Amino acid sequence: MQDNEPTQEDAAREALRGHLQNMIAQHIADAVSARRSSGIEQIWIEDEDQYEGIDPVTPQSSQVITSKGQPRAKVPTQGNRSRVFLNITKPKTDNWISRVQEMLLPHDDKPWELGPTPVAEIDEAIENEDQTPVPLADGSTAPAADVAKAAQEKARIAAEKMSTQVEDWFVEGSVYAELRKVIRDAGRVGTGWIKGPIPMVRKDRKWVPSEGGMTVVVKERLAPSSTRKNYWDVFADPSCGTNHHDGGFMAERDYWTKKILRGWASTPGVDRAAIAEIIKEGPGRVARDDDRATRQRDGESRTTDSTLWEVWHYYGEIDPLELIGSGWAKMKAEKPEEEDAQEPGEPPEDTPADSAEDMDEGDAEEAGDGLPELAREEVELMSIPVIATVINDRIVRIVMNPGDDGEFPFDCMVAEEIEGQVYGRGIPRKMSTPQRILNA
């Protein structure tokens, strides 16, 4: 047998990878199909048109390209009737947006506050001037009331310092500006999305004296940030109801150029061979589900004709045995203490791998059939929250979701909540009847 001939373990691993790809692709397809069939996308298009003062009888509406690549048909008017669009929707919507932004994100104050958590025992000791001696670390004693006051003051100082740090992160990451964009989306179409916190690399530059004069020292650090996401590019589980966190998965869409793909290939955990094949293949599909394919005017570059890759980020849960068997993670079975001998260079037991590159041959079998029966039952009851990146219908990276309990890193704001839907309704929808009456 030649060394490069696929083994049985390789075939099983590829089969599991194909199963994971099909499962994730099916979830994404279900979310895309459910949102389209719900009618919310048509509502978004109509609300955006009304906000911009576009309707079928206005001259500029003929410049709007439909999803079929043809200009939108203009409805002829009867006789010499006016075709002026008296837009009362835009000022009403802008007024709502500015008012909500001012209330939720005032310019002269922080819209949040950090403080020490009240503790009943501490408050009671201070209020009653409790003189019960409390032993201290140095062996001395102090009245309980004094100890409680000191603990309360320490917590207050810590909260103030943390408040300053969080405010620095918000200002540095332009989080307030991103939140204002979310409010704008909520006012215009009823739904706004923000993603965060996400780790961002920040560079600190400082001039320091040296022998030759002054030298610039650059230090990199990670800091949390948040960013507004286009409402066309976020897809929730169709069964989530009004709260997207109740769903089993979420999907996020990006459009990347070849330059971004090549730079991203050096990210830890990425299947570099798959990225190379994807670049060689070119963009897989030209069909676009967002408004860039349906809302472009004359003179703009057609999205479907550009060299952009459609990238999907899937947030959901995967069976641990499937992750192990497909090579995206590994786990060693626990051995009795007397047999617990670790070979030099072997990773610690029960340590998840970051990528397929850390997968040793035969780990899938070792983590599957090799697990004790009790451990196997425990593993089958588990699910691993992951973030999977899919390009050209191919998984190129799976990592653990760093959020608490695998929570989705998305939050949604709606202008008016609709029962049973995660998407809301905006101000143009409320103004649609008065606007039609005025234009009649």
Side-chain angles (χ1 to χ4, degrees):
M1 180 183 295
Q2 297 181 0
D3 293 339
N4 58 357
E5 185 176 344
T7 64
Q8 185 176 357
E9 290 80 6
D10 293 335
R13 185 179 307 161
E14 289 303 316
L16 275 175
R17 286 199 172 196
H19 167 71
L20 288 180
Q21 288 178 173
N22 292 336
M23 181 198 71
I24 293 175
Q26 186 61 49
H27 282 176
I28 293 174
D30 290 344
V32 172
S33 176
R35 197 181 78 177
R36 184 185 297 116
S37 61
S38 70
I40 188 64
E41 295 184 353
Q42 183 61 33
I43 290 176
W44 289 346
I45 293 176
E46 293 174 358
D47 288 353
E48 285 284 8
D49 280 351
Q50 184 174 320
Y51 177 83
E52 296 293 346
I54 299 174
D55 69 352
V57 300
T58 53
Q60 63 265 37
S61 66
S62 62
Q63 304 301 318
V64 180
I65 304 298
T66 66
S67 58
K68 297 181 179 179
Q70 301 296 328
R72 179 181 298 176
K74 185 168 62 175
V75 177
T77 58
Q78 297 179 358
N80 294 323
R81 293 184 59 184
S82 172
R83 294 184 297 176
V84 175
F85 191 107
L86 300 176
N87 195 341
I88 62 172
T89 300
K90 186 169 185 176
K92 292 288 186 181
T93 303
D94 290 344
N95 182 62
W96 183 93
I97 292 172
S98 61
R99 179 60 178 157
V100 174
Q101 288 176 344
E102 181 61 29
M103 288 191 299
L104 299 182
L105 303 170
H107 291 278
D108 56 350
D109 194 11
K110 296 196 304 289
W112 53 272
E113 184 179 4
L114 289 180
T117 302
V119 180
E121 291 79 1
I122 292 179
D123 294 339
E124 184 179 353
I126 296 175
E127 182 179 355
N128 297 333
E129 293 292 337
D130 191 352
Q131 299 299 313
T132 303
V134 176
L136 304 180
D138 59 0
S140 61
T141 62
D146 294 345
V147 174
K149 291 178 182 178
Q152 195 177 62
E153 179 65 14
K154 181 179 179 181
R156 184 190 64 80
I157 294 174
E160 287 182 357
K161 291 181 178 180
M162 192 66 237
S163 178
T164 302
Q165 176 64 84
V166 172
E167 179 67 9
D168 288 344
W169 285 334
F170 275 34
V171 173
E172 183 181 45
S174 301
V175 175
Y176 294 128
E178 296 297 310
L179 289 172
R180 289 186 175 91
K181 295 177 184 178
V182 173
I183 296 174
R184 181 196 62 190
D185 289 342
R188 293 176 62 167
V189 299
T191 307
W193 291 96
I194 190 164
K195 180 182 179 182
I198 52 178
M200 302 290 290
V201 177
R202 306 294 185 188
K203 293 184 178 181
D204 295 327
R205 295 175 174 84
K206 182 173 65 173
W207 287 93
V208 296
S210 61
E211 295 182 358
M214 301 295 289
T215 304
V216 177
V217 176
V218 180
K219 291 185 178 180
E220 291 188 350
R221 58 182 172 83
L222 285 178
S225 186
S226 298
T227 181
R228 170 257 183 188
K229 292 298 298 182
N230 192 323
Y231 46 89
W232 286 96
D233 294 330
V234 179
F235 298 81
D237 185 347
S239 61
C240 69
T242 57
N243 186 357
H244 59 283
H245 288 293
D246 292 338
F249 68 92
M250 287 194 70
E252 172 194 4
R253 178 177 52 198
D254 277 326
Y255 293 99
W256 287 0
T257 61
K258 185 183 294 186
K259 178 181 179 181
I260 297 177
L261 272 179
R262 286 173 173 166
W264 191 72
S266 60
T267 303
V270 172
D271 189 343
R272 294 175 58 86
I275 294 294
E277 286 295 325
I278 288 170
I279 293 177
K280 182 179 179 180
E281 294 169 0
R285 290 194 300 265
V286 297
R288 299 291 186 243
D289 298 310
D290 69 345
D291 60 347
R292 284 185 288 187
T294 60
R295 304 299 308 283
Q296 291 164 331
R297 271 72 170 179
D298 288 347
E300 296 181 354
S301 174
R302 296 290 297 154
T303 301
T304 52
D305 296 334
S306 63
T307 55
L308 290 176
W309 277 264
E310 191 176 49
V311 181
W312 289 94
H313 305 285
Y314 172 85
Y315 301 81
E317 296 184 342
I318 296 180
D319 184 281
L321 290 182
E322 292 181 348
L323 273 180
I324 296 166
S326 61
W328 289 109
K330 68 178 179 180
M331 181 177 64
K332 299 289 186 180
E334 291 188 3
K335 300 179 182 179
E337 189 171 332
E338 60 272 15
E339 299 178 5
D340 191 15
Q342 185 170 321
E343 296 295 332
E346 183 181 357
E349 295 182 359
D350 298 329
T351 302
D354 289 333
S355 67
E357 297 176 359
D358 297 328
M359 182 72 184
D360 296 332
E361 189 172 343
D363 275 342
E365 180 180 355
E366 187 175 333
D369 297 334
L371 282 177
E373 191 63 29
L374 181 60
R376 172 181 287 277
E377 292 178 358
E378 292 296 327
V379 169
E380 289 179 349
L381 293 175
M382 294 170 54
S383 60
I384 307 298
V386 301
I387 304 174
T389 302
V390 181
I391 308 175
N392 281 9
D393 294 327
R394 183 182 304 173
I395 298 177
V396 296
R397 185 176 185 239
I398 294 182
V399 296
M400 293 281 292
N401 188 336
D404 295 338
D405 301 325
E407 192 174 72
F408 304 135
F410 297 95
D411 283 302
C412 180
M413 177 184 180
V414 296
E416 181 185 13
E417 184 175 311
I418 302 300
E419 184 65 28
Q421 295 186 19
V422 69
Y423 308 105
R425 299 293 185 269
I427 306 305
R429 184 60 33 173
K430 291 177 173 292
M431 295 292 300
S432 59
T433 299
Q435 185 67 72
R436 286 199 304 268
I437 293 174
L438 192 61
N439 290 346

